[in-house]
Amino acid sequence: MPETLDLSGDVVALTAAICDIPSVSGDETTLADAIETALARSAQLEVLRDGDAIVARTHLGRSRRVVIAGHIDTVPVTANLPTSFRDAGTESEALWGRGTVDMKGGVAVALHLAATLAAPRWDVTWVFYDHEEVEAELNGLGRLARLHPEWLHGDLAILGEPTNGGIEGGCNGTLRADISTTGRAAHSARSWRGSNAIHAAAPILDRLAHYTAAEVEVDGLVYREGLNAVGISGGIAGNVIPDRCTVSVNYRFAPSATPEQAAAHVREVFEGFDVEVSDSAPGARPGLDALLVQEFVAAVTSVTGGVAGPKYGWTDVARFAELGIPAVNFGPGNPELAHADDEHCPTGQIRSCAAALRGWLTDDAGPDAGTPGIEE
Amino acid sequence: MPETLDLSGDVVALTAAICDIPSVSGDETTLADAIETALARSAQLEVLRDGDAIVARTHLGRSRRVVIAGHIDTVPVTANLPTSFRDAGTESEALWGRGTVDMKGGVAVALHLAATLAAPRWDVTWVFYDHEEVEAELNGLGRLARLHPEWLHGDLAILGEPTNGGIEGGCNGTLRADISTTGRAAHSARSWRGSNAIHAAAPILDRLAHYTAAEVEVDGLVYREGLNAVGISGGIAGNVIPDRCTVSVNYRFAPSATPEQAAAHVREVFEGFDVEVSDSAPGARPGLDALLVQEFVAAVTSVTGGVAGPKYGWTDVARFAELGIPAVNFGPGNPELAHADDEHCPTGQIRSCAAALRGWLTDDAGPDAGTPGIEE
């Protein structure tokens, strides 16, 4: 008998209710069951399920389909459940507890609108998925993209990750490479017979220390890059001149560059050294030059007061970009409080995000009245 | 029934015989038994044993006692036993096989003289010990110094380690220290929120790369120092800005400096960084300014044609230095062939080292005739 969720009532109460069903990655079934059961009560929705991922979609014959997605898992609970309200009834009222920011506020907004928007302006595919906070290969959205790509089709994807009610578009790409030096081993008592590979790595660290990361404008957003050592190793024993030293670097590059261009840049920075790229993933352009996206951004930020900016981390937005679907993050909560012990979300943001999304999905002109200039 | 060794015959044949009794560290008992049995046949020797270390000494009432020591273990055999002769009968005749250089040539010279010098000029303590090629705490000479320090008393110690028939005196000291940087961890997608401890280590490697090691004259020998990174580590994960980086350095310093002075030098080189000294051992002065040593050096090098120079590695010479006994290395074989698969020793060197040591220990003037100016 799954827990009963009231999707049609207050969206803040719904947020608290789904936070109070713990769903640490790998343990999402109870919450997934409750979501599936609650969504099945809405006649306008077709409800699908794969593992602990639930997909609910309208079939209203609209000219556009929007995918609105959120993960239902959280990082481990640290004595911050059940949820509690602070400053209740004031302007700074907030809901405290695990998941309030990342990202059950966004999930509650989506569940609430899925149940209460009987005839949205666009067809909507609501996606609630598992295993986002763990290894990429377990990610529920990735699994849906592999096993049921047709469930994710759409013209625009909105991920409800916390953005303080603003829009975060696209994401940087990421590349890892090992920069190595070689030397000649020798006993450290007669070091002049060897050649020290760690000493030879001095210019690598110098170049990193003096590297100035670029800021790159893509589709109107400025992406800040970064090139950093994330590891260094060398040395065999306390009395041996090391014959190898490896510096592992991570390059976060703007979505206007391909992984190949990023690799070429890293090779250029470390010219003269052995550079081996170990893995890379492309970024995602914010897609804010697409008219549908521009219109969405204008509609929701005018309600929430949020601003449009870049997303730095590699997020599930890139999974939609790989499917050719422009995607942005939009949700309540301060992303810097994600995973924090003092995770909490202003209840006003949850309400304003719900109102903004409802406004865009219903539109003054009525369902599917069309917006001038939406043609791509 | 131990193997039978003929100590009084040809010293080269004796070298081959003891090489052909394998005695890799930890497996010295067969050879130790053979040595003990053979030495017990000499009436002038008191034979003592601790584990696989054998000590044999004269009690002739001489005014000086000389300690002549060698380890009987070897590094592992690599299909280089039994021994064989190459270029037999020519000037370049050599004995090939494990232990011929390090250091059964020197051990054979000592065993041969122990058995055949019935009335040496000085009282002699002959020491044959185990476990030199492994961890320092297992070292048989160290064990004797702890358990039976009186067995090692003397006015001069000669270690029969390979020196090509020359004299290697004293040894450098050694000090290990960790030089660390700290930073501030952050997600590498937002690296500007952190502070990269690996980048901060760039000046440490720069200083090492540009460091000029000193050459220091001590008691007439020039010691070459060295300051080297022997390890480096830093980094937590591929997406985290590292908050700590540690460079482990090894400083080999001339025996004229104390470990405290060496530590002060390292702190000065890495001023501005966190320096933690993890261990250190003092060097040993060559003691070549002591008259007894000078006379020994002159006597043996005039026979072998070898030269006097410094020892760079930390050797068991330092154990005698700690007991207040001047000590030098003197033995047949090229030290660069120690531990090598093609380890081999010119038989002429074995004979000339035996002749040189015999000459010094018998002296034209007769036993204990005294040498002008030996008073210290």
Side-chain angles (χ1 to χ4, degrees), chain A residues 176 188-189 191-193 196 199 206 224 228-235 238 242 250 252 312 336, chain B residues 176 188-189 191-193 196 199 206 224 228-235 238 242 250 252 336:
Chain A
R176 261 176 274 276
S188 66
S191 52
W192 50 91
R193 293 192 189 157
N196 196 310
H199 298 191
D206 272 334
R224 193 166 173 179
N228 271 274
V230 289
I232 188 166
S233 64
N250 182 211
R252 300 284 177 150
Y312 290 114
E336 304 204 7
Chain B
R176 260 174 276 275
S188 66
S191 53
W192 50 91
R193 293 193 190 156
N196 195 311
H199 298 192
D206 272 335
R224 193 165 172 180
N228 270 275
V230 290
I232 188 167
S233 63
N250 182 209
R252 300 284 176 150
E336 303 203 9

mmCIF file of all heavy atoms in Angstrom, chain A residues 176 188-189 191-193 196 199 206 224 228-235 238 242 250 252 312 336, chain B residues 176 188-189 191-193 196 199 206 224 228-235 238 242 250 252 336:
data_model
loop_
_atom_site.group_PDB
_atom_site.id
_atom_site.type_symbol
_atom_site.label_atom_id
_atom_site.label_comp_id
_atom_site.label_asym_id
_atom_site.label_seq_id
_atom_site.Cartn_x
_atom_site.Cartn_y
_atom_site.Cartn_z
ATOM 1 N N ARG A 176 39.586 15.100 -18.895
ATOM 2 C CA ARG A 176 40.674 14.757 -17.981
ATOM 3 C C ARG A 176 41.869 14.248 -18.775
ATOM 4 O O ARG A 176 41.702 13.524 -19.768
ATOM 5 C CB ARG A 176 40.224 13.696 -16.981
ATOM 6 C CG ARG A 176 39.829 14.285 -15.650
ATOM 7 C CD ARG A 176 39.285 13.243 -14.698
ATOM 8 N NE ARG A 176 37.874 13.066 -14.934
ATOM 9 C CZ ARG A 176 36.925 13.840 -14.401
ATOM 10 N NH1 ARG A 176 37.246 14.816 -13.582
ATOM 11 N NH2 ARG A 176 35.669 13.649 -14.676
ATOM 12 N N SER A 188 69.195 7.478 -4.381
ATOM 13 C CA SER A 188 69.225 8.905 -4.047
ATOM 14 C C SER A 188 70.536 9.316 -3.387
ATOM 15 O O SER A 188 70.824 10.510 -3.262
ATOM 16 C CB SER A 188 68.025 9.281 -3.162
ATOM 17 O OG SER A 188 68.113 8.643 -1.909
ATOM 18 N N ALA A 189 71.370 8.346 -2.975
ATOM 19 C CA ALA A 189 72.692 8.691 -2.442
ATOM 20 C C ALA A 189 73.634 9.125 -3.569
ATOM 21 O O ALA A 189 74.639 9.772 -3.320
ATOM 22 C CB ALA A 189 73.283 7.486 -1.703
ATOM 23 N N SER A 191 72.449 10.753 -6.585
ATOM 24 C CA SER A 191 71.351 11.276 -7.400
ATOM 25 C C SER A 191 71.827 11.786 -8.748
ATOM 26 O O SER A 191 71.068 11.812 -9.705
ATOM 27 C CB SER A 191 70.625 12.389 -6.638
ATOM 28 O OG SER A 191 71.527 13.367 -6.181
ATOM 29 N N TRP A 192 73.106 12.211 -8.840
ATOM 30 C CA TRP A 192 73.612 12.756 -10.103
ATOM 31 C C TRP A 192 73.672 11.700 -11.203
ATOM 32 O O TRP A 192 73.832 12.054 -12.362
ATOM 33 C CB TRP A 192 74.986 13.393 -9.897
ATOM 34 C CG TRP A 192 75.940 12.503 -9.174
ATOM 35 C CD1 TRP A 192 76.817 11.621 -9.721
ATOM 36 C CD2 TRP A 192 76.092 12.404 -7.756
ATOM 37 N NE1 TRP A 192 77.504 10.965 -8.732
ATOM 38 C CE2 TRP A 192 77.091 11.424 -7.512
ATOM 39 C CE3 TRP A 192 75.482 13.034 -6.663
ATOM 40 C CZ2 TRP A 192 77.480 11.072 -6.223
ATOM 41 C CZ3 TRP A 192 75.883 12.681 -5.384
ATOM 42 C CH2 TRP A 192 76.869 11.713 -5.173
ATOM 43 N N ARG A 193 73.536 10.433 -10.838
ATOM 44 C CA ARG A 193 73.499 9.392 -11.871
ATOM 45 C C ARG A 193 72.093 9.226 -12.437
ATOM 46 O O ARG A 193 71.890 8.493 -13.396
ATOM 47 C CB ARG A 193 73.948 8.051 -11.286
ATOM 48 C CG ARG A 193 75.407 8.072 -10.907
ATOM 49 C CD ARG A 193 75.909 6.667 -10.597
ATOM 50 N NE ARG A 193 77.240 6.742 -10.025
ATOM 51 C CZ ARG A 193 77.779 5.798 -9.265
ATOM 52 N NH1 ARG A 193 77.108 4.710 -8.997
ATOM 53 N NH2 ARG A 193 79.000 5.952 -8.782
ATOM 54 N N ASN A 196 65.676 13.375 -12.254
ATOM 55 C CA ASN A 196 64.509 13.400 -11.376
ATOM 56 C C ASN A 196 63.238 13.842 -12.112
ATOM 57 O O ASN A 196 63.082 15.005 -12.499
ATOM 58 C CB ASN A 196 64.789 14.334 -10.196
ATOM 59 C CG ASN A 196 63.803 14.119 -9.063
ATOM 60 O OD1 ASN A 196 62.599 14.100 -9.283
ATOM 61 N ND2 ASN A 196 64.316 13.934 -7.859
ATOM 62 N N HIS A 199 61.252 16.689 -10.341
ATOM 63 C CA HIS A 199 61.803 18.025 -10.616
ATOM 64 C C HIS A 199 61.408 18.465 -12.019
ATOM 65 O O HIS A 199 61.098 19.644 -12.260
ATOM 66 C CB HIS A 199 63.330 18.022 -10.496
ATOM 67 C CG HIS A 199 63.827 17.674 -9.115
ATOM 68 N ND1 HIS A 199 65.140 17.828 -8.741
ATOM 69 C CD2 HIS A 199 63.193 17.179 -8.028
ATOM 70 C CE1 HIS A 199 65.297 17.436 -7.475
ATOM 71 N NE2 HIS A 199 64.129 17.032 -7.033
ATOM 72 N N ASP A 206 54.059 25.145 -12.930
ATOM 73 C CA ASP A 206 54.174 26.584 -13.223
ATOM 74 C C ASP A 206 53.107 27.028 -14.222
ATOM 75 O O ASP A 206 52.454 28.052 -14.040
ATOM 76 C CB ASP A 206 55.558 26.886 -13.815
ATOM 77 C CG ASP A 206 56.586 27.165 -12.728
ATOM 78 O OD1 ASP A 206 56.176 27.597 -11.634
ATOM 79 O OD2 ASP A 206 57.779 26.948 -12.980
ATOM 80 N N ARG A 224 32.512 30.328 -17.603
ATOM 81 C CA ARG A 224 33.833 30.468 -17.027
ATOM 82 C C ARG A 224 34.506 29.099 -17.080
ATOM 83 O O ARG A 224 33.967 28.123 -16.566
ATOM 84 C CB ARG A 224 33.673 30.938 -15.579
ATOM 85 C CG ARG A 224 34.943 31.411 -14.953
ATOM 86 C CD ARG A 224 34.611 32.171 -13.674
ATOM 87 N NE ARG A 224 35.806 32.498 -12.944
ATOM 88 C CZ ARG A 224 35.829 33.175 -11.808
ATOM 89 N NH1 ARG A 224 34.692 33.615 -11.281
ATOM 90 N NH2 ARG A 224 36.948 33.432 -11.196
ATOM 91 N N ASN A 228 42.724 22.692 -14.070
ATOM 92 C CA ASN A 228 43.257 22.437 -12.737
ATOM 93 C C ASN A 228 43.890 21.076 -12.599
ATOM 94 O O ASN A 228 43.371 20.086 -13.143
ATOM 95 C CB ASN A 228 42.120 22.511 -11.706
ATOM 96 C CG ASN A 228 41.938 23.916 -11.182
ATOM 97 O OD1 ASN A 228 42.624 24.302 -10.237
ATOM 98 N ND2 ASN A 228 41.083 24.683 -11.829
ATOM 99 N N ALA A 229 44.985 21.040 -11.851
ATOM 100 C CA ALA A 229 45.502 19.747 -11.386
ATOM 101 C C ALA A 229 44.496 19.191 -10.390
ATOM 102 O O ALA A 229 44.034 19.898 -9.497
ATOM 103 C CB ALA A 229 46.857 19.920 -10.710
ATOM 104 N N VAL A 230 44.121 17.943 -10.564
ATOM 105 C CA VAL A 230 43.260 17.268 -9.590
ATOM 106 C C VAL A 230 43.995 16.100 -8.936
ATOM 107 O O VAL A 230 43.456 15.444 -8.050
ATOM 108 C CB VAL A 230 41.933 16.787 -10.223
ATOM 109 C CG1 VAL A 230 41.048 17.984 -10.547
ATOM 110 C CG2 VAL A 230 42.189 15.950 -11.473
ATOM 111 N N GLY A 231 45.233 15.851 -9.388
ATOM 112 C CA GLY A 231 46.028 14.791 -8.779
ATOM 113 C C GLY A 231 47.468 14.894 -9.235
ATOM 114 O O GLY A 231 47.750 15.440 -10.307
ATOM 115 N N ILE A 232 48.369 14.394 -8.397
ATOM 116 C CA ILE A 232 49.775 14.326 -8.802
ATOM 117 C C ILE A 232 50.376 13.135 -8.091
ATOM 118 O O ILE A 232 50.037 12.848 -6.943
ATOM 119 C CB ILE A 232 50.534 15.638 -8.473
ATOM 120 C CG1 ILE A 232 51.940 15.627 -9.089
ATOM 121 C CG2 ILE A 232 50.612 15.879 -6.977
ATOM 122 C CD1 ILE A 232 52.611 16.994 -9.097
ATOM 123 N N SER A 233 51.227 12.406 -8.789
ATOM 124 C CA SER A 233 51.876 11.267 -8.149
ATOM 125 C C SER A 233 53.243 11.041 -8.774
ATOM 126 O O SER A 233 53.473 11.336 -9.942
ATOM 127 C CB SER A 233 51.023 10.006 -8.284
ATOM 128 O OG SER A 233 50.896 9.650 -9.634
ATOM 129 N N GLY A 234 54.147 10.537 -7.959
ATOM 130 C CA GLY A 234 55.488 10.235 -8.427
ATOM 131 C C GLY A 234 56.280 9.688 -7.258
ATOM 132 O O GLY A 234 55.965 9.987 -6.103
ATOM 133 N N GLY A 235 57.311 8.872 -7.558
ATOM 134 C CA GLY A 235 58.151 8.350 -6.493
ATOM 135 C C GLY A 235 57.895 6.890 -6.224
ATOM 136 O O GLY A 235 56.753 6.445 -6.210
ATOM 137 N N GLY A 238 61.769 5.922 -0.717
ATOM 138 C CA GLY A 238 62.422 7.068 -0.102
ATOM 139 C C GLY A 238 63.881 7.233 -0.473
ATOM 140 O O GLY A 238 64.484 8.256 -0.147
ATOM 141 N N PRO A 242 63.011 9.378 -8.609
ATOM 142 C CA PRO A 242 61.838 8.909 -9.362
ATOM 143 C C PRO A 242 62.026 9.077 -10.865
ATOM 144 O O PRO A 242 62.553 10.082 -11.330
ATOM 145 C CB PRO A 242 60.708 9.801 -8.847
ATOM 146 C CG PRO A 242 61.377 10.996 -8.298
ATOM 147 C CD PRO A 242 62.717 10.560 -7.800
ATOM 148 N N ASN A 250 42.112 18.472 -14.937
ATOM 149 C CA ASN A 250 40.711 18.498 -15.360
ATOM 150 C C ASN A 250 40.446 19.848 -16.011
ATOM 151 O O ASN A 250 40.654 20.890 -15.393
ATOM 152 C CB ASN A 250 39.794 18.292 -14.141
ATOM 153 C CG ASN A 250 38.311 18.254 -14.495
ATOM 154 O OD1 ASN A 250 37.464 18.649 -13.696
ATOM 155 N ND2 ASN A 250 37.977 17.788 -15.688
ATOM 156 N N ARG A 252 37.664 22.183 -17.675
ATOM 157 C CA ARG A 252 36.236 22.453 -17.875
ATOM 158 C C ARG A 252 36.149 23.501 -18.956
ATOM 159 O O ARG A 252 36.644 24.620 -18.778
ATOM 160 C CB ARG A 252 35.620 22.970 -16.565
ATOM 161 C CG ARG A 252 35.749 21.985 -15.414
ATOM 162 C CD ARG A 252 34.749 20.847 -15.564
ATOM 163 N NE ARG A 252 34.913 19.857 -14.513
ATOM 164 C CZ ARG A 252 33.916 19.120 -14.033
ATOM 165 N NH1 ARG A 252 32.695 19.264 -14.506
ATOM 166 N NH2 ARG A 252 34.144 18.223 -13.096
ATOM 167 N N TYR A 312 27.694 25.494 -14.498
ATOM 168 C CA TYR A 312 29.100 25.126 -14.646
ATOM 169 C C TYR A 312 29.324 23.624 -14.632
ATOM 170 O O TYR A 312 30.082 23.083 -15.408
ATOM 171 C CB TYR A 312 29.938 25.824 -13.582
ATOM 172 C CG TYR A 312 30.021 27.303 -13.853
ATOM 173 C CD1 TYR A 312 29.443 28.231 -13.012
ATOM 174 C CD2 TYR A 312 30.651 27.746 -15.008
ATOM 175 C CE1 TYR A 312 29.505 29.575 -13.287
ATOM 176 C CE2 TYR A 312 30.715 29.091 -15.301
ATOM 177 C CZ TYR A 312 30.146 30.005 -14.433
ATOM 178 O OH TYR A 312 30.214 31.330 -14.727
ATOM 179 N N GLU A 336 23.830 26.338 -3.826
ATOM 180 C CA GLU A 336 24.973 26.184 -2.917
ATOM 181 C C GLU A 336 24.593 25.442 -1.629
ATOM 182 O O GLU A 336 25.472 25.032 -0.872
ATOM 183 C CB GLU A 336 25.583 27.556 -2.586
ATOM 184 C CG GLU A 336 25.983 28.279 -3.854
ATOM 185 C CD GLU A 336 27.071 29.319 -3.656
ATOM 186 O OE1 GLU A 336 27.624 29.398 -2.553
ATOM 187 O OE2 GLU A 336 27.344 30.044 -4.623
ATOM 188 N N ARG B 176 65.020 12.832 5.605
ATOM 189 C CA ARG B 176 63.805 12.886 4.801
ATOM 190 C C ARG B 176 62.834 13.884 5.417
ATOM 191 O O ARG B 176 62.722 13.969 6.639
ATOM 192 C CB ARG B 176 63.145 11.508 4.711
ATOM 193 C CG ARG B 176 63.458 10.792 3.409
ATOM 194 C CD ARG B 176 62.916 9.388 3.394
ATOM 195 N NE ARG B 176 63.841 8.498 4.044
ATOM 196 C CZ ARG B 176 64.894 7.926 3.443
ATOM 197 N NH1 ARG B 176 65.132 8.149 2.164
ATOM 198 N NH2 ARG B 176 65.702 7.131 4.106
ATOM 199 N N SER B 188 35.598 20.900 -9.073
ATOM 200 C CA SER B 188 36.454 21.421 -10.153
ATOM 201 C C SER B 188 35.643 22.133 -11.232
ATOM 202 O O SER B 188 36.209 22.830 -12.069
ATOM 203 C CB SER B 188 37.307 20.306 -10.758
ATOM 204 O OG SER B 188 36.506 19.358 -11.420
ATOM 205 N N ALA B 189 34.318 21.977 -11.224
ATOM 206 C CA ALA B 189 33.487 22.735 -12.170
ATOM 207 C C ALA B 189 33.411 24.206 -11.756
ATOM 208 O O ALA B 189 33.075 25.065 -12.570
ATOM 209 C CB ALA B 189 32.080 22.142 -12.227
ATOM 210 N N SER B 191 36.102 25.884 -9.983
ATOM 211 C CA SER B 191 37.426 25.861 -9.361
ATOM 212 C C SER B 191 37.777 27.183 -8.700
ATOM 213 O O SER B 191 38.563 27.223 -7.765
ATOM 214 C CB SER B 191 38.486 25.493 -10.401
ATOM 215 O OG SER B 191 38.389 26.329 -11.531
ATOM 216 N N TRP B 192 37.193 28.294 -9.178
ATOM 217 C CA TRP B 192 37.529 29.606 -8.623
ATOM 218 C C TRP B 192 37.051 29.759 -7.187
ATOM 219 O O TRP B 192 37.475 30.675 -6.493
ATOM 220 C CB TRP B 192 36.945 30.732 -9.502
ATOM 221 C CG TRP B 192 35.491 30.519 -9.804
ATOM 222 C CD1 TRP B 192 34.424 30.975 -9.088
ATOM 223 C CD2 TRP B 192 34.948 29.782 -10.898
ATOM 224 N NE1 TRP B 192 33.252 30.553 -9.669
ATOM 225 C CE2 TRP B 192 33.544 29.831 -10.781
ATOM 226 C CE3 TRP B 192 35.524 29.082 -11.982
ATOM 227 C CZ2 TRP B 192 32.699 29.201 -11.706
ATOM 228 C CZ3 TRP B 192 34.683 28.461 -12.883
ATOM 229 C CH2 TRP B 192 33.284 28.524 -12.741
ATOM 230 N N ARG B 193 36.201 28.835 -6.738
ATOM 231 C CA ARG B 193 35.778 28.885 -5.333
ATOM 232 C C ARG B 193 36.793 28.192 -4.432
ATOM 233 O O ARG B 193 36.684 28.265 -3.210
ATOM 234 C CB ARG B 193 34.425 28.198 -5.162
ATOM 235 C CG ARG B 193 33.323 28.961 -5.857
ATOM 236 C CD ARG B 193 31.955 28.469 -5.423
ATOM 237 N NE ARG B 193 30.926 29.051 -6.281
ATOM 238 C CZ ARG B 193 29.735 28.540 -6.490
ATOM 239 N NH1 ARG B 193 29.391 27.420 -5.896
ATOM 240 N NH2 ARG B 193 28.872 29.141 -7.271
ATOM 241 N N ASN B 196 44.014 25.798 -5.261
ATOM 242 C CA ASN B 196 44.626 24.535 -5.670
ATOM 243 C C ASN B 196 45.996 24.309 -5.010
ATOM 244 O O ASN B 196 46.981 24.989 -5.322
ATOM 245 C CB ASN B 196 44.750 24.503 -7.195
ATOM 246 C CG ASN B 196 45.020 23.114 -7.717
ATOM 247 O OD1 ASN B 196 45.906 22.430 -7.223
ATOM 248 N ND2 ASN B 196 44.248 22.686 -8.701
ATOM 249 N N HIS B 199 48.854 23.370 -7.501
ATOM 250 C CA HIS B 199 49.427 24.541 -8.181
ATOM 251 C C HIS B 199 50.369 25.282 -7.218
ATOM 252 O O HIS B 199 51.426 25.789 -7.616
ATOM 253 C CB HIS B 199 48.330 25.493 -8.652
ATOM 254 C CG HIS B 199 47.396 24.891 -9.664
ATOM 255 N ND1 HIS B 199 46.495 25.636 -10.384
ATOM 256 C CD2 HIS B 199 47.218 23.623 -10.093
ATOM 257 C CE1 HIS B 199 45.807 24.848 -11.191
ATOM 258 N NE2 HIS B 199 46.225 23.618 -11.029
ATOM 259 N N ASP B 206 60.207 24.095 -8.369
ATOM 260 C CA ASP B 206 61.163 25.039 -8.972
ATOM 261 C C ASP B 206 62.452 25.101 -8.164
ATOM 262 O O ASP B 206 63.552 25.069 -8.716
ATOM 263 C CB ASP B 206 60.548 26.449 -9.019
ATOM 264 C CG ASP B 206 59.753 26.670 -10.295
ATOM 265 O OD1 ASP B 206 60.037 25.998 -11.305
ATOM 266 O OD2 ASP B 206 58.837 27.518 -10.272
ATOM 267 N N ARG B 224 79.841 14.744 -2.116
ATOM 268 C CA ARG B 224 78.876 15.383 -2.991
ATOM 269 C C ARG B 224 77.506 15.208 -2.357
ATOM 270 O O ARG B 224 77.068 14.085 -2.081
ATOM 271 C CB ARG B 224 78.929 14.685 -4.355
ATOM 272 C CG ARG B 224 78.217 15.433 -5.436
ATOM 273 C CD ARG B 224 78.641 14.868 -6.785
ATOM 274 N NE ARG B 224 77.853 15.434 -7.854
ATOM 275 C CZ ARG B 224 78.001 15.130 -9.132
ATOM 276 N NH1 ARG B 224 78.922 14.248 -9.498
ATOM 277 N NH2 ARG B 224 77.248 15.676 -10.054
ATOM 278 N N ASN B 228 66.733 15.928 -3.234
ATOM 279 C CA ASN B 228 65.849 15.426 -4.278
ATOM 280 C C ASN B 228 64.454 15.123 -3.781
ATOM 281 O O ASN B 228 64.280 14.608 -2.669
ATOM 282 C CB ASN B 228 66.424 14.122 -4.844
ATOM 283 C CG ASN B 228 67.346 14.395 -6.000
ATOM 284 O OD1 ASN B 228 66.900 14.530 -7.133
ATOM 285 N ND2 ASN B 228 68.635 14.522 -5.697
ATOM 286 N N ALA B 229 63.480 15.406 -4.642
ATOM 287 C CA ALA B 229 62.142 14.873 -4.408
ATOM 288 C C ALA B 229 62.211 13.371 -4.626
ATOM 289 O O ALA B 229 62.785 12.906 -5.614
ATOM 290 C CB ALA B 229 61.143 15.490 -5.379
ATOM 291 N N VAL B 230 61.662 12.610 -3.692
ATOM 292 C CA VAL B 230 61.569 11.162 -3.873
ATOM 293 C C VAL B 230 60.107 10.725 -3.918
ATOM 294 O O VAL B 230 59.812 9.548 -4.123
ATOM 295 C CB VAL B 230 62.328 10.387 -2.770
ATOM 296 C CG1 VAL B 230 63.834 10.564 -2.947
ATOM 297 C CG2 VAL B 230 61.896 10.841 -1.379
ATOM 298 N N GLY B 231 59.199 11.672 -3.733
ATOM 299 C CA GLY B 231 57.778 11.356 -3.820
ATOM 300 C C GLY B 231 56.964 12.631 -3.876
ATOM 301 O O GLY B 231 57.416 13.690 -3.414
ATOM 302 N N ILE B 232 55.795 12.529 -4.488
ATOM 303 C CA ILE B 232 54.866 13.667 -4.481
ATOM 304 C C ILE B 232 53.473 13.091 -4.527
ATOM 305 O O ILE B 232 53.222 12.073 -5.187
ATOM 306 C CB ILE B 232 55.132 14.631 -5.661
ATOM 307 C CG1 ILE B 232 54.301 15.913 -5.527
ATOM 308 C CG2 ILE B 232 54.857 13.958 -7.005
ATOM 309 C CD1 ILE B 232 54.749 17.024 -6.469
ATOM 310 N N SER B 233 52.562 13.701 -3.786
ATOM 311 C CA SER B 233 51.189 13.222 -3.824
ATOM 312 C C SER B 233 50.242 14.373 -3.543
ATOM 313 O O SER B 233 50.575 15.326 -2.846
ATOM 314 C CB SER B 233 50.959 12.109 -2.798
ATOM 315 O OG SER B 233 51.152 12.608 -1.497
ATOM 316 N N GLY B 234 49.066 14.279 -4.128
ATOM 317 C CA GLY B 234 48.037 15.286 -3.934
ATOM 318 C C GLY B 234 46.834 14.891 -4.755
ATOM 319 O O GLY B 234 46.966 14.180 -5.752
ATOM 320 N N GLY B 235 45.646 15.367 -4.317
ATOM 321 C CA GLY B 235 44.440 15.076 -5.087
ATOM 322 C C GLY B 235 43.564 14.054 -4.415
ATOM 323 O O GLY B 235 44.049 13.078 -3.855
ATOM 324 N N GLY B 238 38.810 13.103 -9.200
ATOM 325 C CA GLY B 238 38.970 13.742 -10.502
ATOM 326 C C GLY B 238 38.168 15.013 -10.675
ATOM 327 O O GLY B 238 38.350 15.736 -11.654
ATOM 328 N N PRO B 242 42.264 20.015 -5.226
ATOM 329 C CA PRO B 242 42.959 19.429 -4.078
ATOM 330 C C PRO B 242 43.315 20.474 -3.029
ATOM 331 O O PRO B 242 43.743 21.579 -3.363
ATOM 332 C CB PRO B 242 44.211 18.808 -4.689
ATOM 333 C CG PRO B 242 44.403 19.520 -5.976
ATOM 334 C CD PRO B 242 43.055 19.946 -6.455
ATOM 335 N N ASN B 250 64.533 13.955 -0.042
ATOM 336 C CA ASN B 250 65.634 13.263 0.634
ATOM 337 C C ASN B 250 66.879 14.120 0.460
ATOM 338 O O ASN B 250 67.283 14.429 -0.655
ATOM 339 C CB ASN B 250 65.826 11.879 0.007
ATOM 340 C CG ASN B 250 66.921 11.056 0.686
ATOM 341 O OD1 ASN B 250 67.549 10.221 0.043
ATOM 342 N ND2 ASN B 250 67.159 11.281 1.975
ATOM 343 N N ARG B 252 70.812 14.302 1.166
ATOM 344 C CA ARG B 252 72.029 13.583 1.535
ATOM 345 C C ARG B 252 73.074 14.642 1.832
ATOM 346 O O ARG B 252 73.418 15.419 0.939
ATOM 347 C CB ARG B 252 72.483 12.686 0.380
ATOM 348 C CG ARG B 252 71.436 11.645 -0.022
ATOM 349 C CD ARG B 252 71.392 10.508 0.995
ATOM 350 N NE ARG B 252 70.340 9.559 0.659
ATOM 351 C CZ ARG B 252 70.397 8.254 0.947
ATOM 352 N NH1 ARG B 252 71.452 7.754 1.567
ATOM 353 N NH2 ARG B 252 69.405 7.462 0.652
ATOM 354 N N GLU B 336 79.876 -0.655 -8.638
ATOM 355 C CA GLU B 336 78.754 -0.459 -9.568
ATOM 356 C C GLU B 336 78.195 -1.777 -10.089
ATOM 357 O O GLU B 336 77.120 -1.797 -10.685
ATOM 358 C CB GLU B 336 79.191 0.439 -10.729
ATOM 359 C CG GLU B 336 79.697 1.767 -10.206
ATOM 360 C CD GLU B 336 79.633 2.889 -11.210
ATOM 361 O OE1 GLU B 336 79.044 2.705 -12.279
ATOM 362 O OE2 GLU B 336 80.184 3.967 -10.904
#
